[in-house]
Amino acid sequence: MPSTALNFGTLPGRLIVLPGVYRPQTDTWLLADALSRERMDAATAVLDIGTGTGALALSAARTGARVEAVDVSWPAVISAGLNAFRQRLPLRVMHGDFAARTEGRRFDVVLTNPPYVPSARDLPPSHGAARAWDAGPDGRAVIDRVCARAPSLLRPGGVLLMVHSGMCGPSTTLARLEAGGLSAEVRARAFVPWGPVLRARRTWLRSHDLAGDDEREELVIIRAEHP
């Protein structure tokens, strides 16, 4: 299992990032590395949930796969569309909730870098940059929805790749995916220094037993496969 090394998969360069859109960071590179290990070709249907700049979707599109991306943020949808045009890669970008936009459809690969930072807010924000990372008190507001939908989103033999923080329970994610009939495992992990978001809420995180004294965040890649 890859661990701690930071020479992850490559991402498209010169990305357009509109204000309020999540800029690719270590979690994006870690997921790109996991994606690069999957077999994809022109027959592969890929869905990128919460696409942001479209960096991961475009990495998949480079393989020739048929890629669609969805995001609730209009600036993200516009950024991804502009980046696809700039990279001269085919990408269908949809605005809205991923479950509503994919109802009744199945994919060979589903990838997502969802919001996963625990927050004092009961509900994730409905607008602004923080909606890219704030995910409720346990950080699982979006993760749990992905877990619930994954079995119906994947074709037989299809794969889900999801990155999230060790703060929001990788073991819970594995259990929920397996309860849905998928085989699931932690495929990779890395430890990175806290960024400004976590540092700003260190007192709250520690008071809720979500963090200790070591200000490093564990990132994990969950890989789940439909039988």
Side-chain angles (χ1 to χ4, degrees):
M1 178 189 302
S3 174
T4 68
L6 299 183
N7 54 337
F8 303 137
T10 59
L11 292 170
R14 306 186 312 278
L15 290 171
I16 295 169
V17 187
L18 294 184
V21 178
Y22 186 77
R23 187 177 295 274
Q25 298 181 38
T26 304
D27 50 2
T28 322
W29 270 276
L30 189 63
L31 189 53
D33 183 68
L35 179 65
S36 71
R37 300 172 192 274
E38 301 296 329
R39 296 182 62 179
M40 294 183 290
D41 56 30
T44 307
V46 178
L47 174 67
D48 181 19
I49 298 172
T51 195
T53 62
L56 290 161
L58 294 173
S59 292
R62 282 176 170 173
T63 70
R66 295 177 287 111
V67 186
E68 299 181 49
V70 62
D71 205 296
V72 295
S73 162
W74 271 115
V77 169
I78 295 168
S79 294
L82 290 172
N83 286 320
F85 178 79
R86 189 173 191 177
Q87 301 285 332
R88 298 183 180 180
L89 290 168
L91 176 64
R92 181 188 180 204
V93 189
M94 302 174 287
H95 175 259
D97 177 74
F98 78 92
R101 296 308 306 267
T102 59
E103 183 68 36
R105 303 180 59 212
R106 290 179 179 259
F107 300 85
D108 299 296
V109 177
V110 174
L111 59 141
T112 181
N113 183 1
Y116 55 69
V117 177
S119 166
R121 306 182 188 192
D122 289 334
L123 297 173
S126 59
H127 62 277
R131 72 192 309 190
W133 56 79
D134 277 1
D138 60 2
R140 299 192 58 88
V142 179
I143 292 171
D144 284 341
R145 294 190 65 227
V146 172
C147 289
R149 287 284 297 175
S152 62
L153 278 174
L154 293 173
R155 293 172 177 168
V159 169
L160 166 71
L161 295 172
M162 175 164 53
V163 59
H164 68 70
S165 172
M167 289 183 183
C168 43
S171 60
T172 300
T173 299
L174 294 176
R176 295 191 177 185
L177 291 169
E178 289 170 353
L182 308 181
S183 59
E185 63 178 334
V186 173
R187 181 51 66 93
R189 65 180 76 239
F191 293 85
V192 297
W194 281 7
V197 172
L198 292 181
R199 291 197 301 269
R201 59 188 67 169
R202 61 164 58 88
T203 300
W204 183 86
L205 290 168
R206 287 170 177 163
S207 69
H208 287 74
D209 296 321
L210 293 169
D213 294 331
D214 182 9
E215 295 191 358
R216 292 191 307 159
E217 183 181 18
E218 180 188 31
L219 301 174
V220 299
I221 294 290
I222 302 289
R223 183 184 188 275
E225 186 168 350
H226 194 296

